[in-house]
Amino acid sequence: MAAMTDELLPTIALDGTRKARVNLTQARIRWVILALLMGFCVVGARLIQLGMVVQDSTIEGQARDVITATRPPILDRNGLEMAVDIRVPSLYAEPRRIIDVDEAVQKLATVLPDIDQRWLRDRLSGDKGFVWIQRELSPSVEDKIMRLGIPGIDFITESKRFYPGMREASHILGSVNIDNQGIAGIEKHIDNEDVAMLQDIGLARGNDLAPVELSIDMRVQHVMYEEMQDAMVRYKAIAAASVMIDIYTGEVIGLTSLPDFDPNDPKSALVKDSFNRITAGIYELGSTFKTVTLAAALDSGKVKLTDQFDARFGVKFGRFTITDFHGKNRILSVPEIYKYSSNVGTIHVMQALGKENFRAFLTKIGFDTRVPFELPEMRNPTVAKTFSDVGAATASFGHGLSISPLHMAVAMAAFTNGGNYIAPTLYKRTREEAEKSYVRVIQPQTSEWVRYLMRLNALEGSGSQMNKEALGYRVGGKTGTAEKVVDGRYSSNKNFNVFASAFPLDNPRYAMVVVVDEPQIENPQSGDTAGWNAGMMTGRIVQRVAPMLGIAPDFSPALDTNLVPSFLR
């Protein structure tokens, strides 16, 4: 028995050793498992943290979909690009991933030497998610920064608006801010319509939006822009502007206003006086209003083209007397009142119409409200609700009330297209579409008479200098030389000059208004009234753009003869 016990002892001891080893192994395994679990927990926690970072889809509160959203290209009526998006890299940082802020600042400053290092250090400090460093950089700068290998520094590709025509259509296009959102011009109108909504819901991201087709003809726009630049130099003017409209569709073919700005540099729009004088400026448009007064009077039937009015003496209102500039001091027919631009004769015509009827006609043609138009840069006209006797008298020849040049251009279109008011537009529109919105303001017969008067003034009146510049294109219109109000009084040496026209008057297609602010005499043989500047500018524009618009010159005298009413031949 003892012998058996002795034999078993080594076996028991061996079993105990094995159990101890097993227990030790199991303990080690448990520690390894625990260590692995702890490691997994750390990694998991980090992944969760990183996951939370990835889920942050904003940069300084702005959604990435909005940042990367695109805008539709803007084309002229012939498909020429006026505004397009280009893709540019923008630099941002994740401060909580920055290991050494000072090192990051020093490295970035080598590529961006103009950056404020104190500002940059503040931006990179802290635990913010994403912050902008600099936007709209070049690809070469992006490459240099990426080579620096700074953790927490990265780029996002966003859209930047580019305007190939630079300044030429700035007041039409407007501009966008650094977030590619429209802030002026047709760009803002587009956003107000639907582009902003598409960006907000992310549908504009990386997608090609349908182009926006405008009514503008950039060939015509270029010519008008060049002529406005020339006027600023030739007449030493402080401003010049012009607008051309298709009289049947209301489409704006060209619109310029100087001083202007570069839409590629939106802050240049903040320069003094660089506003749109065609839509956002309101002025006394002087004798161009005589076209309005005569159209109203002739359409009423209370005045006929064959009527005559006494213009021998001034018209008195209390202690004031209104006279003519270079008056004929005789009895004048209605056509003579127009071509000689008689204030006295026009007052008598308005009085025959009646001041209440005259005021009602201004409402009829939209002169007491804003022109319905896409551009946000608009102003309300200032036209008295009722006219006193002297107020109606001065208004009849364009003083004492202010409207925009666009108001006058729309009126000229209605006066020459057969008598139909059509709201202007910057979008393409067919004649059939436009006719659905026609509002008759004068009868077709009156429209023919107004066209005759406009052409007569070009041949024999204040528009004769214009006519010399556009021979063969049957242009006609009315000058307006308005003294500017300075310190509450009319200035005798500061004028706002206008020429309101249409062409070709034998088969009219386009209306145009040209304005020039404070023009000076070009040479000793010229003058500073509208015929010598705004009129001649009109002629030069027509002479250049008419062939582009499919209008051929025709020197046949019969074309002018046919404009004369049969009872005046």
Side-chain angles (χ1 to χ4, degrees):
M1 193 67 181
M4 292 179 61
T5 303
D6 291 340
E7 291 176 358
L8 290 172
L9 284 175
T11 303
I12 295 171
L14 182 60
D15 289 343
T17 302
R18 287 176 179 173
K19 288 181 180 179
R21 287 177 179 175
V22 170
N23 291 337
L24 179 61
T25 300
Q26 290 176 343
R28 286 175 177 174
I29 291 173
R30 283 195 292 269
W31 281 108
V32 169
I33 291 173
L34 180 61
L36 288 173
L37 287 174
M38 291 178 66
F40 281 128
C41 287
V42 171
V43 172
R46 182 58 175 163
L47 287 174
I48 291 172
Q49 182 184 16
L50 291 175
M52 291 174 64
V53 171
V54 171
Q55 290 172 7
D56 185 354
S57 61
T58 67
I59 298 180
E60 296 191 17
Q62 188 176 25
R64 292 194 179 208
D65 282 347
V66 174
I67 294 170
T68 60
T70 59
R71 299 180 64 80
I74 299 176
L75 312 178
D76 86 333
R77 66 185 304 108
N78 300 311
L80 186 68
E81 290 182 334
M82 298 176 68
V84 295
D85 269 6
I86 56 176
R87 306 296 283 172
V88 294
S90 289
L91 177 65
Y92 70 90
E94 298 177 72
R96 55 192 168 204
R97 290 184 56 204
I98 302 291
I99 298 173
D100 188 330
V101 172
D102 289 333
E103 181 186 27
V105 170
Q106 291 175 4
K107 286 185 175 182
L108 287 173
T110 63
V111 181
L112 304 172
D114 296 331
I115 200 165
D116 185 326
Q117 293 190 30
R118 179 177 297 178
W119 173 87
L120 180 58
R121 187 172 286 103
D122 290 341
R123 298 287 281 175
L124 299 183
S125 301
D127 58 353
K128 296 179 182 177
F130 295 85
V131 294
W132 287 118
I133 301 302
Q134 196 161 323
R135 301 175 72 177
E136 298 182 353
L137 297 169
S138 67
S140 62
V141 170
E142 178 188 21
D143 182 63
K144 290 177 182 178
I145 291 175
M146 293 302 291
R147 289 176 182 274
L148 296 176
I150 306 172
I153 298 294
D154 205 348
F155 287 86
I156 187 171
T157 300
E158 59 179 331
S159 296
K160 179 181 180 180
R161 204 61 160 166
F162 178 65
Y163 303 92
M166 309 298 282
R167 294 174 173 266
E168 285 195 357
S170 58
H171 286 296
I172 297 169
L173 295 168
S175 57
V176 299
N177 61 18
I178 197 166
D179 295 321
N180 218 26
Q181 298 166 337
I183 57 175
I186 201 68
E187 292 278 29
K188 185 174 183 180
H189 180 265
I190 291 171
D191 273 12
N192 291 343
E193 291 296 301
D194 53 16
V195 169
M197 179 193 70
L198 290 175
Q199 291 177 340
D200 286 342
I201 63 178
L203 294 182
R205 183 181 181 184
N207 295 325
D208 292 330
L209 299 178
V212 175
E213 296 181 308
L214 299 187
S215 60
I216 299 297
D217 187 325
M218 281 303 293
R219 301 171 304 170
V220 175
Q221 181 74 15
H222 175 72
V223 170
M224 294 171 68
Y225 185 76
E226 281 194 339
E227 291 298 336
M228 296 308 106
Q229 287 183 311
D230 176 73
M232 296 282 281
V233 177
R234 186 192 296 255
Y235 306 117
K236 301 178 177 62
I238 66 171
S242 57
V243 60
M244 183 184 295
I245 296 178
D246 183 309
I247 65 172
Y248 294 107
T249 66
E251 294 173 297
V252 174
I253 306 301
L255 186 156
T256 61
S257 180
L258 299 180
D260 58 1
F261 62 95
D262 184 354
N264 293 306
D265 181 20
K267 65 178 181 293
S268 63
L270 301 176
V271 176
K272 184 182 178 182
D273 294 331
S274 60
F275 64 95
N276 186 347
R277 284 168 168 77
I278 295 298
T279 62
I282 56 172
Y283 311 95
E284 295 185 356
L285 296 185
S287 291
T288 57
F289 247 84
K290 289 169 183 170
T291 308
V292 177
T293 303
L294 266 64
L298 291 170
D299 198 63
S300 71
K302 295 184 177 183
V303 175
K304 298 181 176 58
L305 274 177
T306 53
D307 288 347
Q308 296 182 328
F309 294 87
D310 191 349
R312 292 175 297 172
F313 313 103
V315 182
K316 292 185 177 182
F317 295 94
R319 60 190 179 91
F320 298 102
T321 301
I322 299 175
T323 59
D324 283 336
F325 179 72
H326 297 323
K328 298 300 178 181
N329 301 315
R330 61 177 176 83
I331 294 174
L332 300 175
S333 67
V334 168
E336 287 177 325
I337 288 171
Y338 192 76
K339 76 175 183 179
Y340 295 136
S341 198
S342 170
N343 293 341
V344 173
T346 304
I347 291 173
H348 290 316
V349 169
M350 182 278 299
Q351 290 173 334
L353 169 65
K355 66 179 182 180
E356 291 80 10
N357 292 331
F358 176 56
R359 179 62 186 84
F361 187 76
L362 299 186
T363 297
K364 191 176 184 180
I365 58 175
F367 277 11
D368 50 9
T369 59
R370 288 187 185 187
V371 177
F373 194 49
E374 291 88 6
L375 292 185
E377 297 79 24
M378 306 286 287
R379 278 186 66 189
N380 290 319
T382 57
V383 181
K385 291 183 178 180
T386 58
F387 284 148
S388 64
D389 289 341
V390 66
T394 57
S396 71
F397 55 86
H399 286 262
L401 75 175
S402 299
I403 62 172
S404 71
L406 185 61
H407 278 96
M408 185 58 71
V410 174
M412 298 303 290
F415 294 161
T416 55
N417 71 5
N420 298 300
Y421 180 96
I422 177 65
T425 181
L426 279 171
Y427 295 115
K428 292 178 73 173
R429 181 165 63 192
T430 66
R431 183 166 177 174
E432 291 71 23
E433 291 170 338
E435 287 175 350
K436 297 175 183 177
S437 302
Y438 277 4
V439 176
R440 181 160 296 283
V441 291
I442 59 173
Q443 295 303 310
Q445 181 65 74
T446 308
S447 177
E448 291 183 13
W449 292 338
V450 171
R451 285 161 46 199
Y452 155 67
L453 292 174
M454 292 170 64
R455 183 58 180 158
L456 176 68
N457 189 54
L459 294 172
E460 302 176 13
S462 61
S464 58
Q465 295 299 324
M466 175 279 302
N467 190 56
K468 293 176 184 178
E469 298 287 343
L471 291 175
Y473 292 108
R474 294 89 68 201
V475 190
K478 187 72 187 75
T479 53
T481 303
E483 294 180 341
K484 295 181 68 173
V485 176
V486 179
D487 297 328
R489 297 191 175 193
Y490 285 107
S491 171
S492 60
N493 58 5
K494 291 185 176 181
N495 295 335
F496 187 85
N497 292 356
V498 192
F499 196 85
S501 63
F503 69 99
L505 283 176
D506 59 300
N507 182 23
R509 289 177 55 188
Y510 301 98
M512 180 163 57
V513 171
V514 172
V515 303
V516 57
D517 196 352
E518 295 187 21
Q520 306 300 309
I521 294 174
E522 181 182 1
N523 56 60
Q525 288 73 45
S526 65
D528 62 355
T529 52
W532 290 99
N533 36 73
M536 296 181 74
M537 291 159 64
T538 298
R540 288 192 289 267
I541 291 172
V542 172
Q543 191 272 335
R544 293 178 64 184
V545 306
M548 301 176 185
L549 298 171
I551 300 171
D554 193 326
F555 302 93
S556 172
L559 295 176
D560 288 328
T561 302
N562 291 338
L563 286 171
V564 181
S566 58
F567 54 83
L568 292 179
R569 295 178 191 173

